[in-house]
């Protein structure tokens, strides 16, 4: 009889230390990694925005690689890459919900890569949320500072890049079966209990059956013995008559 393995807690076989999706470390350590990634990206976004606002004037781009890569100051009332420019207040609420959701998920994380991906999303969401809360024209209506222009791509900032890269990583992990708890779909399928249609016979029962099987002598039974006696007597009578 096979014993099923619970899917709530990964076994060492499901979550080895060298697997990309998880190392079996306590969730608190993964939350620390998530917060460290988020804090780093948030600080980088904040510092670059302060420098750009102080050094670059609107309409005066700074060339980095000809006309293909430039630094240009743009005040964006919309979402990432200047989308949904007329829904600033709604985007602020969505960003707040994203921050809360990521923090809730981060409390149960066991996967290093999931922690990095969610950290990127959290850091980017916090960076743009700070602009919407504290920049002009006012709370919930603040315009996000964008400054990186690459070719035909809409102008963006560090926070936008963090959100996009983090989301791509999370989608990739989902496609390849890595879950936030560090397990994989394939591992769970292998560990799932299997049901047998007919349980195998016990070896002891086979031995007992063999021991209880009638032998050829037993299968003859009393009728065969009686038949043999009648045949012997008939032979003896025949001999007497012939004599």
């Amino acid at each position: 009889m096979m014993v099923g393995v619970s899917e709530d807690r990964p076994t060492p076989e499901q979550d080895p230390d060298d697997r990309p999706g998880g190392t079996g470390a306590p969730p608190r350590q993964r939350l620390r990694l998530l917060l460290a990634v988020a804090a780093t990206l948030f600080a980088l976004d904040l510092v670059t925005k302060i420098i750009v606002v102080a050094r670059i004037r609107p309409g005066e781009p700074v060339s980095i690689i000809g006309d293909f890569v430039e630094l240009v100051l743009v005040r964006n009332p919309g979402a990432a890459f200047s989308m949904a420019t007329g829904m600033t207040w709604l985007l602020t609420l969505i960003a707040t919900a994203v921050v809360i959701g990521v923090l809730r998920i981060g409390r149960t994380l066991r996967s290093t890569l999931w922690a990095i991906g969610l950290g990127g999303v959290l850091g980017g969401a916090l960076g743009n949320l700070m602009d919407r809360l504290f920049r002009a024209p006012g709370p919930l209506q603040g315009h996000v500072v964008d400054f990186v222009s690459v070719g035909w791509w809409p102008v963006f900032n560090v926070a936008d890049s963090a959100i996009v890269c983090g989301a791509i990583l999370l989608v990739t992990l989902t496609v390849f079966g890595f879950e936030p708890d560090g397990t994989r779909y394939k591992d769970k399928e292998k560990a799932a209990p299997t049901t047998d249609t007919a349980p195998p016979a016990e070896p002891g029962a086979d031995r007992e059956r063999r021991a209880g099987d009638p032998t050829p002598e037993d299968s003859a039974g009393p009728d065969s013995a009686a038949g043999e006696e009648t045949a012997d007597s008939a032979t003896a009578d025949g001999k007497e008559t012939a004599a």
Side-chain angles (χ1 to χ4, degrees):
M1 186 175 82
M2 299 184 65
V3 180
V5 179
S6 174
E7 297 183 1
D8 296 333
R9 297 176 60 187
T11 62
E13 291 79 7
Q14 291 175 297
D15 196 15
D17 291 340
D18 58 351
R19 199 174 69 183
T23 61
R28 183 176 299 177
Q29 294 185 10
R30 295 294 165 260
L31 180 59
R32 290 175 181 173
L33 175 61
L34 186 156
L35 295 177
V37 173
T40 301
L41 293 173
F42 172 73
L44 181 61
D45 179 72
L46 181 62
V47 170
T48 53
K49 286 176 179 177
I50 292 175
I51 294 174
V52 167
V53 170
R55 298 294 183 88
I56 300 179
R57 297 180 180 178
E60 298 181 2
V62 176
S63 176
I64 303 297
I65 304 178
D67 294 335
F68 183 72
V69 179
E70 295 179 332
L71 298 180
V72 53
L73 177 60
V74 175
R75 304 280 184 167
N76 176 21
F81 306 113
S82 301
M83 295 184 294
T85 56
M87 305 178 67
T88 305
W89 65 272
L90 179 60
L91 295 173
T92 304
L93 297 179
I94 292 175
T96 304
V98 169
V99 171
I100 296 174
V102 170
L103 291 176
R104 289 178 62 90
I105 296 174
R107 297 173 60 185
T108 60
L109 278 181
R110 289 183 179 271
S111 170
T112 300
L113 295 181
W114 269 87
I116 294 174
L118 288 174
V121 174
L122 178 60
L126 285 174
N128 286 338
L129 181 61
M130 292 295 292
D131 285 358
R132 301 187 192 283
L133 292 177
F134 298 106
R135 292 189 183 275
L140 300 181
Q141 300 291 331
H143 293 178
V144 176
V145 175
D146 291 333
F147 56 89
V148 181
S149 176
V150 180
W152 53 269
W153 198 258
V155 182
F156 59 95
N157 54 33
V158 175
D160 295 338
S161 301
I163 293 173
V164 173
C165 293
I168 292 175
L169 177 57
L170 297 180
V171 171
T172 302
L173 293 174
T174 303
V175 170
F176 285 95
F178 290 98
E179 296 187 0
D181 61 359
T183 60
R184 293 190 67 181
Y185 297 131
K186 293 182 179 179
D187 294 334
K188 288 188 175 183
E189 291 176 358
K190 292 179 181 178
T194 58
T195 56
D196 297 332
T197 55
E202 299 180 359
D206 293 340
R207 288 195 295 269
E208 292 177 359
R209 189 178 297 109
R210 295 194 192 98
D213 288 343
T215 60
E217 293 78 10
D218 296 337
S219 61
D223 293 339
S224 299
E228 290 177 359
E229 294 177 358
T230 304
D232 292 341
S233 62
T235 303
D237 292 343
K239 290 181 180 179
E240 292 177 357
T241 303

